[in-house]
Amino acid sequence: MSDAIKHECGIALLRLQKPLSFYKEKYGTAFYGINKMYLMLEKQHNRGQDGAGLASIKLNMKPGTRYISRVRSNAAQPIQDIFSQINERINTEMKLHPEYHEDVELQKEKLPYLGEVFLGHVRYGTYGKNSIESVHPFLRQNNWMHRNLILAGNFNMTNVTELFQNLVELGQHPKEKADTITVMEKIGHFLDSEVRKLYKKLKAEGFNKKQASPHIIEQIKVHKILRKSSKDWDGGYVLAGMLGHGDSFVLRDPAGIRPAYYYKDDEVVVVASERPVIQTAFNVAFEDVIELEPGHALITRKDGSSYISKILEPTERKACSFERIYFSRGSDAEIYKERKELGRLLMPEVLEAINYDTVNTVFSFIPNTAETSFYGMVEAAQDELSRQKNEAILAEKENLTDERLNEILSHRLRTEKIAVKDAKLRTFITEDSSRDDLVAHVYDVTYGVVKSTDNLVVIDDSIVRGTTLKKSILKMLDRLQPKKIIIVSSAPQIRYPDCYGIDMARLEDFVAFQAAIHLLKDNNKKQIIDDVYQKCLLQKELPTAEIQNFVKEIYAPFSDKEISTKIAELLSEGSINAEVKVIYQSVDKLHQACPKNLGDWYFTGDYPTPGGNRVVNQAFMNFVEGKKDRSY
């Protein structure tokens, strides 16, 4: 994606099923769990580089012994930073106490972070906040072991104001309005309530407080707490948590918007945001890693038993298609295949745009994450070239000479690495004109492979804002002096803000929205802008469930191709000499390529939860009113 967008986040939860001595004997170290957590977080660094955190719980510790450890970082390389801190703490203690080296029980008792239950997290600062207080996991502390709550998640709630007000009505005084705090406090409220009910029951049976605690741990029902807590949530989420005594859970939203995968055997229970992370870290097969069903939670008890519980009734599955297009690593077998298919399905329009002239066309990709889609597009182009060769041979078969046959067969598809990003170049100057000049040179161009008679086809994952295309990539490609530049997006036009974890909050940032507004003005339909604004205003006080997405009417008068043509015009205005064309994936073909991930609200405006419609209308009102505020 040439226009980088950020999203939340990546999670990793690990429960060791055996005593630490088992891992020492089998794998040579009691730090097996810490090592696996490092690997899982590092393999998900694509999901967040603004902050990272790790928390651990030691099981069955005596009173007076520390049993919860947590470390967080918002340093430049946060994953490396937190594990450097962990290693430094452990190595210091080991040097001071040589007697710990072969004594696993002493290591567990005395060394921080060495436990049986781990929760890790990587994040992007979606709201522009990157203070250490915003970094997960969050900790809700209590002197009763079973009332401690540690929480981390990949999520965004659209109704955070309502959730905040619910807490106030419960008599709480939340310290801030952030959705992480409101969600944690809601779970904490029902955790406290469950503990009180169990204690009241046990007290009636004759148990005192000390005697009751282990029975509360045995009888506490995490699935009941999650059902009560999540009843009013509107958003996309995978929430992972640990209770102080050792129970843990991972809960996925009812539409399956955000991803979660798990694996279990007699040594570990593990959950991560991406399947290949678990495959790599634990050397297990694709089919052994299971996707957590929408609306369900994987709950692991202190005793090591685990079960799946339906927490919320699943709705229509709307798993985020951006995970398949861009966010998740392409090392997942299904995702790799889907990305190739996205490229292949674009080829008919590309061939039409180059007038089927594969001889005088160079194919390439920008950025590197578009490489898999590029392979699919090239395979389809190769099929077309083979068809052209067969057609030429059959047409000339009566007079075909060896020389002419060799000439036909020698035609090769021309694929080149046209641009390489200069990772060392930093656009550190903030003054616009100077900064734009630097942005234009972020990529190094490959000279000498494109002729003035050539078409140049370049595929990208998606075109969001178009800023990098306009200020850098198109200018760079134009310096090669091709006849025509065709920019191909493996994703459809991004038209609407996301509100479930991807950092796309303002409509005016999207080049597709800019194009639609220009078209309305060009075609004397500017009144539609005001009409939509008035409809949004009239809905402002309605209950969320009754709100409609009226922003769709901004795009309704125009075809996808008309908007794409306008986008090409907006991106190429100025000093571009070549003819520029922009081709987007269609939504139908996206669904064909990614049949399990049908979440497409950023393309279609069909939000999977009612809160999405409120968000998009607010984003439009902010645009009309000239406010730079976020819409959620």
Side-chain angles (χ1 to χ4, degrees), residues 129 133-134 138 164 167 173-179 181-182:
K129 295 178 183 176
E133 289 80 12
S134 300
F138 285 76
F164 177 85
L167 292 176
H173 192 93
K175 61 183 180 181
E176 57 180 288
K177 215 173 184 178
D179 54 4
I181 296 297
T182 53

Side-chain angles (χ1 to χ4, degrees), residues 239-253:
L239 285 166
M242 304 186 294
L243 305 187
H245 62 268
D247 282 5
S248 64
F249 64 86
V250 178
L251 169 63
R252 192 178 184 196
D253 68 81

Side-chain angles (χ1 to χ4, degrees), residues 88-354:
E88 186 176 345
R89 287 281 307 277
I90 290 174
N91 289 336
T92 299
E93 290 295 318
M94 294 286 266
K95 285 177 184 176
L96 290 172
H97 300 279
E99 68 272 19
Y100 295 172
H101 279 267
E102 297 304 321
D103 192 328
V104 175
E105 287 303 313
L106 267 179
Q107 288 177 8
K108 178 180 172 181
E109 181 183 347
K110 302 295 185 181
L111 299 180
Y113 309 107
L114 186 60
E116 291 92 349
V117 197
F118 300 88
L119 176 58
H121 189 266
V122 292
R123 78 181 291 271
Y124 276 119
T126 304
Y127 287 88
K129 295 178 183 176
N130 198 29
S131 65
I132 195 68
E133 289 80 12
S134 300
V135 179
H136 303 208
F138 285 76
L139 174 59
R140 188 179 190 263
Q141 290 182 288
N142 196 287
N143 218 28
W144 276 265
M145 181 182 281
H146 40 263
R147 289 169 71 167
N148 282 284
L149 174 64
I150 304 165
L151 190 72
N154 170 14
F155 72 103
N156 191 70
M157 299 298 177
T158 69
N159 62 335
V160 66
T161 301
E162 295 168 31
L163 297 176
F164 177 85
Q165 193 57 41
N166 288 346
L167 292 176
V168 173
E169 289 171 5
L170 288 170
Q172 294 192 16
H173 192 93
K175 61 183 180 181
E176 57 180 288
K177 215 173 184 178
D179 54 4
T180 310
I181 296 297
T182 53
V183 166
M184 182 172 68
E185 291 301 333
K186 193 71 176 289
I187 297 172
H189 168 79
F190 286 107
L191 172 60
D192 291 344
S193 177
E194 174 79 354
V195 169
R196 282 194 298 269
K197 286 177 183 175
L198 288 172
Y199 171 65
K200 188 176 180 180
K201 179 175 78 75
L202 289 163
K203 185 181 179 182
E205 294 173 11
F207 292 92
N208 62 33
K209 290 181 179 179
K210 182 179 178 182
Q211 293 167 333
S213 283
H215 291 280
I216 290 172
I217 288 170
E218 288 175 6
Q219 296 179 32
I220 201 165
K221 292 182 173 57
V222 174
H223 58 272
K224 284 178 61 179
I225 295 167
L226 292 176
R227 281 188 193 122
K228 293 175 182 177
S229 306
S230 60
K231 186 172 62 174
D232 301 319
W233 293 349
D234 186 296
Y237 51 87
V238 170
L239 285 166
M242 304 186 294
L243 305 187
H245 62 268
D247 282 5
S248 64
F249 64 86
V250 178
L251 169 63
R252 192 178 184 196
D253 68 81
I257 295 170
R258 303 258 62 89
Y261 297 86
Y262 69 92
Y263 167 76
K264 298 194 295 182
D265 62 21
D266 62 346
E267 293 184 14
V268 296
V269 176
V270 57
V271 186
S273 294
E274 297 186 27
R275 180 191 279 117
V277 172
I278 299 173
Q279 287 183 254
T280 300
F282 295 90
N283 191 28
V284 294
F286 174 94
E287 57 271 14
D288 292 331
V289 182
I290 302 166
E291 184 176 4
L292 183 60
E293 289 297 314
H296 287 68
L298 170 62
I299 297 166
T300 305
R301 302 296 311 278
K302 177 181 178 287
D303 63 10
S305 62
S306 61
Y307 61 98
I308 302 290
S309 178
K310 184 167 75 174
I311 305 301
L312 295 159
E313 195 63 41
T315 59
E316 183 182 1
R317 182 183 166 92
K318 289 290 183 179
C320 175
S321 57
F322 252 123
E323 290 284 350
R324 320 301 276 190
I325 297 165
Y326 173 70
F327 289 144
S328 293
R329 288 193 174 194
S331 51
D332 184 292
E334 283 186 347
I335 292 175
Y336 184 82
K337 181 180 176 182
E338 289 169 8
R339 287 182 185 172
K340 284 188 72 175
E341 185 70 0
L342 286 170
R344 189 187 70 79
L345 291 171
L346 283 159
M347 204 58 212
E349 277 195 77
V350 173
L351 289 169
E352 190 178 322
I354 63 173

Side-chain angles (χ1 to χ4, degrees), residues 310-476:
K310 184 167 75 174
I311 305 301
L312 295 159
E313 195 63 41
T315 59
E316 183 182 1
R317 182 183 166 92
K318 289 290 183 179
C320 175
S321 57
F322 252 123
E323 290 284 350
R324 320 301 276 190
I325 297 165
Y326 173 70
F327 289 144
S328 293
R329 288 193 174 194
S331 51
D332 184 292
E334 283 186 347
I335 292 175
Y336 184 82
K337 181 180 176 182
E338 289 169 8
R339 287 182 185 172
K340 284 188 72 175
E341 185 70 0
L342 286 170
R344 189 187 70 79
L345 291 171
L346 283 159
M347 204 58 212
E349 277 195 77
V350 173
L351 289 169
E352 190 178 322
I354 63 173
N355 199 26
Y356 295 86
D357 184 3
T358 55
V359 174
N360 295 299
T361 300
V362 175
F363 295 89
S364 192
F365 58 91
I366 300 175
N368 288 344
T369 50
E371 187 172 7
T372 307
S373 296
F374 168 74
Y375 290 147
M377 183 176 73
V378 165
E379 285 181 8
Q382 193 64 58
D383 291 341
E384 169 60 20
L385 185 58
S386 297
R387 187 194 66 77
Q388 291 175 4
K389 288 178 182 181
N390 290 339
E391 195 174 81
I393 290 169
L394 290 171
E396 301 178 36
K397 64 181 180 180
E398 301 297 333
N399 305 303
L400 198 62
T401 65
D402 286 346
E403 184 180 1
R404 175 57 180 153
L405 180 61
N406 286 333
E407 182 186 346
I408 294 171
L409 293 177
S410 68
H411 289 164
R412 297 285 185 271
L413 207 63
R414 296 166 63 195
T415 60
E416 304 289 352
K417 182 85 170 180
I418 288 294
V420 179
K421 193 167 188 178
D422 188 344
K424 295 178 182 178
L425 189 63
R426 296 287 183 266
T427 54
F428 55 87
I429 298 175
T430 56
E431 192 268 319
D432 285 348
S433 58
S434 300
R435 187 178 184 280
D436 287 353
D437 183 60
L438 282 175
V439 168
H441 296 87
V442 166
Y443 287 89
D444 287 329
V445 67
T446 305
Y447 291 98
V449 295
V450 177
K451 303 190 295 288
S452 60
T453 54
D454 284 337
N455 304 302
L456 179 53
V457 177
V458 177
I459 191 168
D460 194 348
D461 305 289
S462 64
I463 303 168
V464 188
R465 303 174 184 92
T467 308
T468 308
L469 268 176
K470 182 173 183 176
K471 294 183 177 180
S472 175
I473 293 173
L474 280 174
K475 289 180 180 180
M476 173 197 72

Side-chain angles (χ1 to χ4, degrees), residues 76-95:
Q77 294 182 308
I79 299 172
Q80 290 88 335
D81 185 48
I82 62 172
F83 284 95
S84 293
Q85 291 183 54
I86 290 169
N87 288 337
E88 186 176 345
R89 287 281 307 277
I90 290 174
N91 289 336
T92 299
E93 290 295 318
M94 294 286 266
K95 285 177 184 176

